[in-house]
Amino acid sequence: MEIILMRHGKPAFNGAATLPASDMADWIAQYDLAGIGDDIPPEAGGELARRARITVSSPLPRALASLKALGREPRLIDEVFSEAALPVYSLPGLRLSPASWAVLFRVMWLCGLSRNVESLTLAKRRARQAAGTLINMANEDDGPVLLMGHGMMNRLIAKELMAQGWTTRSRHGHAYWSAGVYQLG
């Protein structure tokens, strides 16, 4: 049995080059509505997707569009696989790139500053639930399960799989379309 955790393709949204922190909530909302445009999956991603007997996905458009680009239809679409939300803080006077704000806010989140979003503790609990769903599906069909998900949540799910006795067969970075393959035992 194996579980494949794949990150979605590159979202077709850039927004402003720099912005104040107070504009990040709107930027994140627009990012969450974005598909992947004409981003093309790498051949390695296509090969992994073709191996899967079951495909599941986050409901976010970038994940669903990535599956479509791979020619896959999800059997299950569930919020449990959605990305862990970023808290947004107001830091007057600073203008940074959205990517820089995202890194700063993610570090703050990892340090326990979750403000009005799901905490790391709750995200880990959700990752445990997500891993359980994937394991049950892998057991049900005795075949590879592909999750089209997101960077942080895929990392949390991978940690949960490993805590339950799964091992990493391969791991291919953290970029868009990256994937990790996990097997039992």
Side-chain angles (χ1 to χ4, degrees):
M1 280 189 299
E2 70 181 17
I3 295 173
I4 304 162
L5 304 178
M6 187 177 290
R7 186 176 180 207
H8 58 80
K10 184 177 180 179
F13 174 73
N14 292 322
T18 64
L19 55 123
S22 58
D23 289 352
M24 274 300 287
D26 288 336
W27 187 93
I28 292 167
Q30 291 178 40
Y31 180 85
D32 281 346
L33 293 173
I36 62 165
D38 59 2
D39 193 30
I40 298 169
E43 184 54 37
E47 289 173 18
L48 283 174
R50 285 188 292 276
R51 283 192 354 219
R53 292 183 65 178
I54 302 172
T55 304
V56 298
S57 182
S58 153
L60 293 173
R62 60 191 181 268
L64 295 170
S66 297
L67 282 179
K68 186 175 182 180
L70 289 166
R72 301 296 304 216
E73 286 291 326
R75 178 186 293 182
L76 173 67
I77 300 170
D78 196 320
E79 289 282 342
V80 74
F81 304 118
S82 290
E83 182 62 295
L86 285 173
V88 176
Y89 292 89
S90 180
L91 300 169
L94 285 176
R95 289 183 69 88
L96 298 174
S97 70
S100 296
W101 284 124
V103 167
L104 177 62
F105 293 154
R106 183 59 76 203
V107 168
M108 293 169 77
W109 182 80
L110 288 167
C111 291
L113 301 172
S114 56
R115 200 168 191 175
N116 294 323
V117 300
E118 173 184 50
S119 68
L120 176 58
T121 299
L122 291 176
K124 286 179 178 180
R125 188 175 302 154
R126 185 163 56 91
R128 188 174 313 116
Q129 179 185 353
T133 298
L134 295 171
I135 291 167
N136 288 340
M137 293 181 102
N139 285 331
E140 176 185 306
D141 273 353
D142 194 33
V145 176
L146 168 66
L147 165 64
M148 184 58 72
H150 307 276
M152 179 53 65
M153 187 50 64
N154 282 1
R155 284 185 200 92
L156 294 175
I157 293 168
K159 284 184 179 185
E160 186 58 36
L161 288 172
M162 290 184 282
Q164 294 188 38
W166 291 68
T167 59
T168 306
R169 198 174 99 203
S170 64
R171 178 85 185 115
H172 304 287
H174 300 287
Y176 297 116
W177 298 111
S178 62
V181 180
Y182 302 88
Q183 60 189 17
L184 187 56

